[in-house]
Amino acid sequence: MFEGGLNVDYFILLLAVLLLLGVITTKFSSRFGVPALVLFIGIGMLAGSDGLNFIYFDDPHLTQLVGVVALIIILFEGGLQTKWNNVKPILYPSLSLATFGVFLTTAVVAVAVKFLLDVTWLEAFLFGSIVGSTDAAAVFSVLSGKNVKDKLSSTLEAESGSNDPMAVFLTITFIELLTRETSSIFSLIFSFFWQMGMGLVFGYLFGKLAVYAINRIQLESSGLYPVFALSFAILCYGVTMLAGASGLLAVYVAAVLMGNNHLTYKNSIVRFNEGFAWMMQILMFAILGLLVFPSELFHIGIIVKGMIISLILIFIARPIGVFLSTYFSPFDFKEKVFLSWSGLRGAVPIVLATFPLIEGVENSQLFFNLVFFVVLTSALIQGSTIPWVAQKLKLTEKEKPTSPHVLELVSIGKANAEIVEFFVPENAKIIGQTLEEITLPQDSIVSAMIRGDELITPTGKTEIHANDILYIMANKNRLKTLTDYLSEQRVKQNSE
């Protein structure tokens, strides 16, 4: 009993150390231009049995479980902050990249792996399927805070959020073809379209349900709203997977729908899930680092073959997938080059690499080590140079000012008012008008303004400038009317 208690305490201590080191390494990540996921993986490898020998870990089942839960939370947080107005114009090329682009990348990598590793065609295509998709966690992390053009960053985020079904479908298909002689190709094709189609349907339904429930329910504490919102994401994944569809796609779609509608305590929901997503990234990549043994990973054979596969993936397979799948898109040559370079691999390929390990597929351990090496090289080579490449290709834009302030009315479930934050864009129609001249819904009042670093106490004569941040107190029942009014002003201005 005493020993068990010590084991529990030891585990909790190590968990705390991993989280602390993970948070601290983000400072080094931004300073040295190294993607945070590489440092998180490094922490796991250092703590493992081939490092400081703090933890011996070789459980692919638990790794898969932690990876899937982490991806749910990361996709949910990414979807909440995805702007539909940015995604809508590039929706079709993003979906083409997420389906046809993944298939093309898989095929090119498979041809290289077939001759490089001397494996069967099915095994080669299995490997190609595992590394064929980009990773949402890596893409969201690397692009966060970068001033890459909205059209390109939105395309990469939408692609990484929606290409998991194709990668999972291809991986499971080739595992079944390798292990089960009775698999029907027609049933597998039907399974893909079912996963994609019903994933979209379930995501839309759960997103609508979540928006309705969050805005209607009166909880006793504002701190419960983020938990309530996250519960819909997890429920969405579980129900969708039980229906045989893509749970990760459904979560992303639901989150995008929720993030682009008014939600009670939206700031609290977004900030909570942002912190939670960071925590899950740290844990997920650290556990992935624990699962690999550096003595096997950095073997000369793995290094040479892994580097060849990585170079083929980065310079041949990904560009072919991008240029062909976006042939009819509005992207120009430089933009397609940037999309090709930004095809980051991360947690998804490593989690998918545990599938053949669990199924006992021949060469699965070799594939896992090679996939891990490919992810590391992709993160180091591509992830650390994305901002530089964007600047060289002149695909950056003026950095948008963001609000460093979060103000929200704390409620115990009885107050019928809320303070919402509105950032005044440069093309807003209300610019130049005074607060007396704009028409806010009844029971709404601008209670504070922030201009740069200055806090302004507003009066009726206060003029609205571009990039101002308005804090508006409004009746909860009229929040939708308020946001619709403010959005309508922007739409009218754009159309003019």
Side-chain angles (χ1 to χ4, degrees), residues 101-114:
V102 172
F103 178 79
L104 290 172
T105 303
T106 296
V108 175
V109 171
V111 172
V113 168
K114 163 64 180 173

Side-chain angles (χ1 to χ4, degrees), residues 314-326:
I314 295 172
F315 292 102
I316 301 176
R318 171 68 178 178
I320 288 175
V322 168
F323 275 81
L324 291 182
S325 62
T326 60

Side-chain angles (χ1 to χ4, degrees), residues 184-356:
S184 167
I185 190 66
F186 296 105
S187 66
L188 293 172
I189 293 174
F190 172 79
S191 173
F192 168 70
F193 285 103
W194 173 267
Q195 287 187 44
M196 289 287 290
M198 295 310 295
L200 292 171
V201 170
F202 277 106
Y204 178 82
L205 293 177
F206 272 96
K208 282 288 188 182
L209 177 62
V211 171
Y212 178 84
I214 291 170
N215 290 335
R216 290 291 181 135
I217 196 170
Q218 293 287 330
L219 297 175
E220 291 302 311
S221 170
S222 59
L224 291 172
Y225 283 90
V227 180
F228 191 51
L230 182 59
S231 67
F232 276 98
I234 299 172
L235 181 64
C236 175
Y237 177 85
V239 172
T240 306
M241 290 299 293
L242 285 176
S246 174
L248 293 177
L249 177 61
V251 168
Y252 183 70
V253 171
V256 171
L257 196 150
M258 293 168 65
N260 287 273
N261 278 275
H262 165 72
L263 292 177
T264 300
Y265 297 109
K266 188 173 184 178
N267 274 332
S268 294
I269 292 172
V270 172
R271 297 292 174 256
F272 170 85
N273 283 285
E274 185 177 13
F276 199 17
W278 270 109
M279 185 179 77
M280 293 309 298
Q281 278 196 61
I282 294 171
L283 290 178
M284 175 178 63
F285 286 116
I287 288 177
L288 293 175
L290 285 172
L291 187 63
V292 71
F293 291 86
S295 59
E296 297 178 4
L297 180 65
F298 297 114
H299 184 274
I300 185 63
I302 297 295
I303 293 175
V304 173
K305 294 175 181 177
M307 185 57 69
I308 293 173
I309 294 172
S310 295
L311 294 177
I312 291 173
L313 175 62
I314 295 172
F315 292 102
I316 301 176
R318 171 68 178 178
I320 288 175
V322 168
F323 275 81
L324 291 182
S325 62
T326 60
Y327 184 78
F328 297 104
S329 73
F331 296 118
D332 60 28
F333 178 79
K334 290 196 301 183
E335 290 172 334
K336 291 179 181 179
V337 169
F338 179 77
L339 291 175
S340 300
W341 186 255
S342 303
L344 291 175
R345 270 60 190 173
V348 170
I350 300 176
V351 172
L352 289 179
T354 64
F355 285 31

